[in-house]
Amino acid sequence: MKLYYQHYSEAADSEIALSQSEQPPVIIIPGLFGSTTNWRSFAKKLSANHHVIVIDQRNHGRSPHADSQSYFDMSDDLLELIDMLELEKVILCGHSMGGKTAMVFALLHPERVGKLAVLDIAPVAYPHSHAPFLDALLDIDLSQLESRSAADKALKTAIPETSTRLFLLQSLVGRANNYQWRLNLPVLRSEMDKVVGFPSDQLKEYSSSVEARFIYGLNSTYISEKDRPLINKLFPKADFTGIANAGHWLHVEQPQRVLDALNEFLAT
């Protein structure tokens, strides 16, 4: 699958600079419901010191739709992109679902990964589900939808948090009575168990010597002390950095602190 991506670099011709650079580029992998759009500001700031590529994962953004959302499929998509760009090694930075994709890729293809940064996610299955969000989006009749504000109003009961609604509505494109979701909602709904899970059984014999940093929000519950032994088993060179006053969306709530932690890791 040919993923959609955007490249950020301070060089005049970013594509030529990418091919000539000796430093591996940083590939940012957004999480569930995320896309290149959500990471534009962060990527521009990170590109002051690194070549940065932001991707849309399958069934998200401008990337193609498919019938599955497994982490092995998303890892294969990433490998196809890296091969297409003729990159020997890359640095991976994944948030949430994107962090799980990055971990699976680093376990399967450690020779292609220079460093691994995982933002606020562990290689475990989570008990909660985002299915209610998807149900609310699926309930909107796009053929009758006249405006984005009407969609926002329709989502208020199921999704009371304004910031969450606005984030989800970034994937709504089109015009009156002809809107469409860039998200493949039916597949994401049917594959939700895979998204919140992790293919631990298939990867239980794997371990990666890639240098890894797990950056997490101190107000988040996605990475706990009990997860660290498993993380260290899969990634023996992993270390941990907590971000104060940040939850799961740490790169939005504390972008500069996350940038500082990421730049420090990449510079060592």
Side-chain angles (χ1 to χ4, degrees):
M1 175 179 292
K2 293 185 178 180
L3 298 178
Y4 175 82
Y5 69 94
Q6 291 183 343
H7 183 212
Y8 297 85
S9 172
E10 291 196 342
D13 191 322
S14 59
E15 295 294 341
I16 293 176
L18 175 64
S19 64
Q20 295 179 346
S21 175
E22 294 181 0
Q23 181 189 43
V26 179
I27 296 184
I28 294 178
I29 313 172
L32 181 66
F33 306 130
S35 69
T36 53
T37 301
N38 314 129
W39 284 86
R40 187 174 297 138
S41 176
F42 189 93
K44 285 182 178 179
K45 293 177 181 177
L46 187 61
S47 70
N49 298 307
H50 310 278
H51 294 284
V52 179
I53 296 169
V54 188
I55 70 171
D56 284 339
Q57 296 208 78
R58 60 171 51 206
N59 297 317
H60 290 71
R62 293 177 176 84
S63 281
H65 288 186
D67 293 332
S68 71
Q69 198 71 33
S70 79
Y71 286 107
F72 291 112
D73 288 334
M74 288 185 275
S75 175
D76 287 345
D77 295 341
L78 183 57
L79 178 62
E80 183 176 338
L81 175 66
I82 293 170
D83 285 343
M84 183 193 74
L85 295 175
E86 299 181 347
L87 300 172
E88 182 180 347
K89 278 195 174 186
V90 296
I91 295 166
L92 297 181
C93 176
H95 172 249
S96 198
M97 181 183 77
K100 288 186 174 181
T101 300
M103 285 187 276
V104 170
F105 186 92
L107 289 168
L108 296 176
H109 310 285
E111 74 285 353
R112 305 299 294 273
V113 182
K115 290 189 177 185
L116 169 68
V118 178
L119 304 187
D120 210 67
I121 203 72
V124 300
Y126 291 87
H128 58 267
S129 171
H130 300 283
F133 287 177
L134 289 162
D135 290 338
L137 301 182
L138 285 164
D139 283 343
I140 297 177
D141 185 353
L142 297 182
S143 67
Q144 302 299 316
L145 185 64
E146 296 185 354
S147 66
R148 295 173 62 84
S149 60
D152 182 60
K153 183 177 180 181
L155 293 171
K156 277 188 177 180
T157 300
I159 309 173
E161 300 84 5
T162 300
S163 60
T164 303
R165 292 197 310 275
L166 294 177
F167 168 64
L168 293 169
L169 287 171
Q170 288 183 356
S171 294
L172 181 67
V173 296
R175 50 190 171 79
N177 305 318
N178 192 29
Y179 281 100
Q180 59 182 328
W181 293 107
R182 281 183 170 158
L183 299 165
N184 189 349
L185 299 177
V187 169
L188 293 177
R189 181 65 176 85
S190 65
E191 296 280 274
M192 186 51 60
D193 286 346
K194 293 179 183 176
V195 172
V196 298
F198 191 79
S200 300
D201 289 344
Q202 297 96 313
L203 297 172
K204 60 185 177 182
E205 302 301 327
Y206 283 77
S207 179
S208 174
S209 61
V210 170
E211 290 183 58
R213 173 161 294 181
F214 286 71
I215 304 172
Y216 61 96
L218 290 176
N219 296 338
S220 174
T221 59
Y222 276 76
I223 294 181
S224 66
E225 288 294 330
K226 65 180 177 60
D227 298 323
R228 294 198 179 196
L230 174 58
I231 292 172
N232 287 132
K233 177 179 179 294
L234 295 175
F235 302 99
K237 293 184 179 180
D239 62 27
F240 300 84
T241 299
I243 304 297
N245 301 315
H248 185 56
W249 300 96
L250 65 172
H251 60 290
V252 176
E253 297 165 10
Q254 298 292 340
Q256 190 57 52
R257 291 179 179 177
V258 175
L259 276 168
D260 290 344
L262 193 54
N263 278 319
E264 189 275 331
F265 172 57
L266 298 181
T268 55

